[in-house]
């Protein structure tokens, strides 16, 4: 089981230097993957949760590709309907090539009606748009010339290339918790990428994922959850405890349960709100690296891709 981290790319105090500190620090500790989030514009309802400055995921990952050598780089998650799929396909193929085949392409629908309105994209159609864009992007990644006719994309004899390094393409992680998201993962994804779910909750949803993959004539995708990392000295006993919140023993047990489920990756998010409240963004690099160091020393065997 490989372990990734979620890197804060927004908020007061976030700078290129802070982002590089997180990612290079994680790489030096032996973490396998660094992921960042996505917004294109920040209307009030977005800025309230994701305050500026907000660094673009593709630009940031391209920059990080030149400052790292081994850690995989990904998105958790790109809001797919915000950008034309031919542009997204070209940018991600280039990113995979510049990074030497280290891109993980996490995708989702987003939630902000205001952001959809600002970008002139129909919020009500976001699911259908995402499905069509995924089909178009995957074809663009794998074919030298693409002709694609859909409800939202129509193109004829579009020359592609350079293609991605990964064969047949960068892994696609489909985010979301709804049945529609699971069906999308089954149809298009290499992995389902749920947020905040532990092993029991994931296990309960697997029949939907398996049925969707079977209907699409595909193998069942892997599950690659993103969970909290908030280490405490005393056990967290609240019924609402998030997986990854608690003592070293509690977090190890959460990860052991996910390992038993066979998940190939877990992404740790040190900024998920905790019982003490989220860490201020300006303090996050120092705080988060301390949490990651403790996890690497006491919970994770990162070189062995297992637990201590």
């Amino acid at each position: 089981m490989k372990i990734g981290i979620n890197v804060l790319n927004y908020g007061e105090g976030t700078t290129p230097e802070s982002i590089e500190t997180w990612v290079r620090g994680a790489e030096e500790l032996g973490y396998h993957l660094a992921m960042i989030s996505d917004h294109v514009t920040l209307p009030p309802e977005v800025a309230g949760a994701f305050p500026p400055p907000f660094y673009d995921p593709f630009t940031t990952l391209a920059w990080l590709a030149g400052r790292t050598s081994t850690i995989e780089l990904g998105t958790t998650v790109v809001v797919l309907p915000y950008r034309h799929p031919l542009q997204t396909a070209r940018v991600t193929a280039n990113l995979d090539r510049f990074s030497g085949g280290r891109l993980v392409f996490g995708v989702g629908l987003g939630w902000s009606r205001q952001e959809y309105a600002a970008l002139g994209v129909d919020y009500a159609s976001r699911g259908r748009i995402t499905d069509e864009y995924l089909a178009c992007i995957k074809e663009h990644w794998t074919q030298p010339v693409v002709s694609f006719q859909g409800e939202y994309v129509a193109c004829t004899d579009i020359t592609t290339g350079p293609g991605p390094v990964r064969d047949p393409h960068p892994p696609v992680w489909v985010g979301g918790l709804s049945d529609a998201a699971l069906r999308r993962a089954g149809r298009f994804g290499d992995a389902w990428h749920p947020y905040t779910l532990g092993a029991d909750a994931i296990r309960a949803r697997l029949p939907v994922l398996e049925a969707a993959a079977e209907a699409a004539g595909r193998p069942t995708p892997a599950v690659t959850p993103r969970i909290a990392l908030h280490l405490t000295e005393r056990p967290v006993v609240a019924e609402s405890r998030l997986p990854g919140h608690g003592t070293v023993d509690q977090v190890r047990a959460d990860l052991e349960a996910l390992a038993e489920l066979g998940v190939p990756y877990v992404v740790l998010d040190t900024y998920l709100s905790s019982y003490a409240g989220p860490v201020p963004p300006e303090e996050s690099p120092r705080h988060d690296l301390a949490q990651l160091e403790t996890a690497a020393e006491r919970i994770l065997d990162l070189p062995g891709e297992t637990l201590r």
Side-chain angles (χ1 to χ4, degrees), residues 183-244:
R183 289 193 293 269
R184 183 170 298 110
R187 183 179 174 190
F188 296 106
D190 299 293
W192 172 43
H193 184 47
Y195 179 64
T196 73
L197 298 187
D200 289 343
I202 290 171
R203 187 179 292 106
R205 305 302 307 282
L206 287 180
V208 179
L209 182 65
E210 292 164 352
E214 183 178 0
R218 303 179 69 238
T220 301
V223 182
T224 54
R226 173 178 158 193
I227 67 170
L229 178 64
H230 182 79
L231 295 171
T232 61
E233 292 185 4
R234 296 182 178 180
V236 176
V237 296
E239 291 184 4
S240 59
R241 183 183 77 89
L242 293 174

Side-chain angles (χ1 to χ4, degrees), residues 13 39 48 56 94 222 248 281:
H39 283 285
D56 172 76
N94 284 186
V248 164

Side-chain angles (χ1 to χ4, degrees), residues 6-308:
N6 178 57
V7 178
L8 201 67
N9 60 322
Y10 60 87
E12 183 180 355
T14 301
T15 64
E17 291 75 20
S18 72
I19 294 171
E20 183 177 9
T21 294
W22 281 31
V23 177
R24 287 174 64 92
E27 184 176 56
E28 289 170 3
L29 288 169
Y31 284 88
H32 306 103
L33 169 66
M35 306 191 89
I36 60 176
S37 56
D38 178 35
H39 283 285
V40 172
T41 188
L42 302 177
E45 68 180 8
V46 175
F50 300 89
F54 198 108
Y55 285 82
D56 172 76
F58 296 136
T59 307
T60 304
L61 292 178
W63 177 73
L64 287 170
R67 283 165 166 75
T68 58
S69 57
T70 59
I71 195 167
E72 291 180 288
L73 303 167
T75 52
T76 180
V77 290
V78 163
V79 185
L80 209 58
Y82 287 171
R83 304 168 182 85
H84 195 284
L86 295 180
Q87 178 196 25
T88 301
R90 176 62 58 84
V91 168
T92 50
N94 284 186
L95 244 174
D96 193 58
R97 189 159 288 272
F98 283 129
S99 66
R102 290 187 281 145
L103 179 65
V104 175
F105 188 51
V107 303
L109 273 67
W111 51 271
S112 172
R113 291 178 180 271
Q114 291 178 356
E115 191 169 16
Y116 269 88
L119 295 169
V121 182
D122 181 24
Y123 180 85
S125 302
R126 65 195 189 283
R128 296 194 304 276
I129 294 172
T130 298
D131 289 351
E132 189 169 302
Y133 281 15
L134 274 171
C136 180
I137 288 167
K138 293 180 76 171
E139 187 165 332
H140 191 284
W141 278 341
T142 56
Q143 302 297 326
V145 179
V146 169
S147 295
F148 191 97
Q149 301 298 320
E151 183 178 359
Y152 304 100
V153 186
C155 62
T156 303
D157 295 336
I158 299 296
T159 301
T160 67
V165 172
R166 295 225 201 192
D167 185 19
H169 52 68
V172 176
W173 291 11
V174 177
L177 302 178
S178 67
D179 283 358
L182 285 159
R183 289 193 293 269
R184 183 170 298 110
R187 183 179 174 190
F188 296 106
D190 299 293
W192 172 43
H193 184 47
Y195 179 64
T196 73
L197 298 187
D200 289 343
I202 290 171
R203 187 179 292 106
R205 305 302 307 282
L206 287 180
V208 179
L209 182 65
E210 292 164 352
E214 183 178 0
R218 303 179 69 238
T220 301
V223 182
T224 54
R226 173 178 158 193
I227 67 170
L229 178 64
H230 182 79
L231 295 171
T232 61
E233 292 185 4
R234 296 182 178 180
V236 176
V237 296
E239 291 184 4
S240 59
R241 183 183 77 89
L242 293 174
H245 277 186
T247 63
V248 164
D249 288 341
Q250 284 181 301
V251 174
R252 183 186 294 109
D254 292 333
L255 292 171
E256 285 175 346
L258 290 169
E260 290 172 2
L261 202 59
V263 306
Y265 286 82
V266 176
V267 178
L268 302 177
D269 188 340
T270 55
Y271 199 66
L272 274 172
S273 57
S274 69
Y275 300 103
V279 176
E282 62 271 19
E283 298 180 14
S284 286
R286 176 183 56 79
H287 173 272
D288 290 6
L289 280 175
Q291 294 264 304
L292 294 173
E293 287 171 2
T294 300
E297 291 169 359
R298 301 183 60 189
I299 302 172
L300 308 169
D301 176 3
L302 293 168
E305 299 181 8
T306 186
L307 302 174
R308 294 186 185 277

